[in-house]
Amino acid sequence: MSFAFVDAPLDRAEHLRTDAAALADLWPRARLLLLDADGLVLVDADDALLAVQPGDVAKALPADAVFLGLDEGRGWFAMPAETAGVQSPGRLALRAAASLWPVREATAFAQARAVLHWRSRHRFCGACGGRLAFERAGWLGRCSACGIEHYPRTDPAVIVAVSDGERLLLGREASWPPGRWSVLAGFVEPGETLEQTVMREVYEESAVRVRACRYLASQPWPFPSSLMLGFEADAEADEPVPDSHELEAARWFTRDEIGAALRDEGPVQLSPPVSIARRLIERWYQALA
């Protein structure tokens, strides 16, 4: 399966994160992504990644620049737009960039959004309240008071195409646009396997009992910091009962209904093509051909 934020990743070159001289050498000709406080990236008038000369931002590598990795020997960095002092014609959200930009740039944007979001919301130590000082090119926060190390947070979540053999289970949240439906998903809890999460989340959200499940693929989903772990599951043909705290509705869909939605025919709207959710739905539909 192919979806956004997965293909053409940068070489993260972890060994360079403690090499200040090497990072400084990369800075003058680096690719630079500038993100605002809402996670939007600065773009030019054509919604392409804004071409920024690092030397126009700072002569030397700034302390708040995060090293993302290498592409054919060229360094990529990200930093908050408000500290860069650069003006741009526009700003672009990650979902829009995924459908407009080259794959490598969109994948780097996803990486940048996730790590900058973590840094902006983890400025102080959760153990003692001391201020964090960032090291390892932005990937490690060390408490200035107690010395505890803090690393970027990623929240694992399962996302599941649940089928009774003939129909696909979909749900919708009340906040979604009218007609939008998607496969079920939920976060992994402490002390729980992924398979246990699949069974628990599906039952909690819909009262449908899963018999078996199989892992398929994963997708970074930095909205703000999730990793979506895609599964397909076999379930009993139970009548769905949505959990009012999670879903507005849940029901079974036939293959014909899913096919019409994939062709944008009728009232049902599915998850966007950039998401693993859409690929799970398409995989289920094609498997019944």
Side-chain angles (χ1 to χ4, degrees):
M1 293 188 289
S2 177
F3 29 78
F5 319 135
V6 172
D7 295 329
L10 298 173
D11 172 4
R12 298 201 175 200
E14 193 273 343
H15 64 285
L16 294 181
R17 293 177 183 172
T18 56
D19 191 335
L23 295 175
D25 287 343
L26 292 171
W27 176 250
R29 59 181 297 270
R31 293 293 302 276
L32 183 58
L33 288 81
L34 301 175
L35 278 64
D36 68 13
D38 295 320
L40 305 179
V41 70
L42 272 56
V43 295
D44 62 22
D46 297 319
D47 283 338
L49 176 61
L50 187 67
V52 180
Q53 296 299 321
D56 294 337
V57 174
K59 296 300 182 184
L61 180 63
D64 59 352
V66 177
F67 174 59
L68 301 178
L70 299 173
D71 175 25
E72 297 182 348
R74 187 179 188 186
W76 288 54
F77 292 82
M79 61 183 295
E82 58 267 24
T83 66
V86 173
Q87 300 298 316
S88 70
R91 304 185 180 204
L92 194 67
L94 181 54
R95 286 183 176 87
S99 62
L100 295 174
W101 285 8
V103 173
R104 187 178 300 281
E105 291 185 356
T107 299
F109 182 6
Q111 179 187 353
R113 190 184 192 280
V115 70
L116 289 181
H117 179 273
W118 166 71
R119 284 172 53 108
S120 69
R121 285 157 178 77
H122 292 80
R123 294 176 295 167
F124 299 93
C125 177
C128 75
R131 181 173 289 275
L132 298 186
F134 290 98
E135 305 173 5
R136 298 186 65 82
W139 291 87
L140 167 65
R142 188 183 302 278
C143 177
S144 58
C146 70
I148 289 180
E149 296 179 348
H150 298 263
Y151 291 89
R153 173 173 174 169
T154 297
D155 301 316
V158 299
I159 185 163
V160 195
V162 179
S163 176
D164 66 356
E166 296 182 354
R167 300 173 297 174
L168 182 66
L169 179 65
L170 300 181
R172 64 166 277 107
E173 297 182 11
S175 61
W176 289 354
R180 169 68 60 81
W181 294 79
S182 187
V183 291
L184 304 190
F187 288 105
V188 181
E189 293 187 347
E192 189 174 51
T193 69
L194 300 179
E195 293 80 5
Q196 290 167 347
T197 304
V198 169
M199 289 188 275
R200 175 184 56 78
E201 281 288 345
V202 172
Y203 188 77
E204 285 180 359
E205 293 189 2
S206 69
V208 171
R209 295 167 294 167
V210 168
R211 298 195 306 268
C213 63
R214 295 164 296 281
Y215 170 78
L216 296 175
S218 63
Q219 181 186 31
W221 196 246
F223 301 104
S225 56
S226 297
L227 174 65
M228 306 305 295
L229 303 158
F231 283 79
E232 58 184 7
D234 304 321
E236 303 291 346
D238 299 324
E239 183 65 25
V241 180
D243 176 3
S244 60
H245 297 291
E246 298 279 352
L247 299 175
E248 179 184 68
R251 73 174 181 89
W252 295 106
F253 286 77
T254 66
R255 185 175 187 276
D256 287 344
E257 289 177 307
I258 295 298
L262 290 172
R263 296 188 297 271
D264 293 324
E265 300 172 356
V268 177
Q269 299 178 22
L270 300 177
S271 305
V274 300
S275 67
I276 190 174
R278 178 61 169 257
R279 296 298 186 256
L280 291 173
I281 294 169
E282 291 173 346
R283 176 185 169 90
W284 176 85
Y285 177 78
Q286 293 163 2
L288 292 187

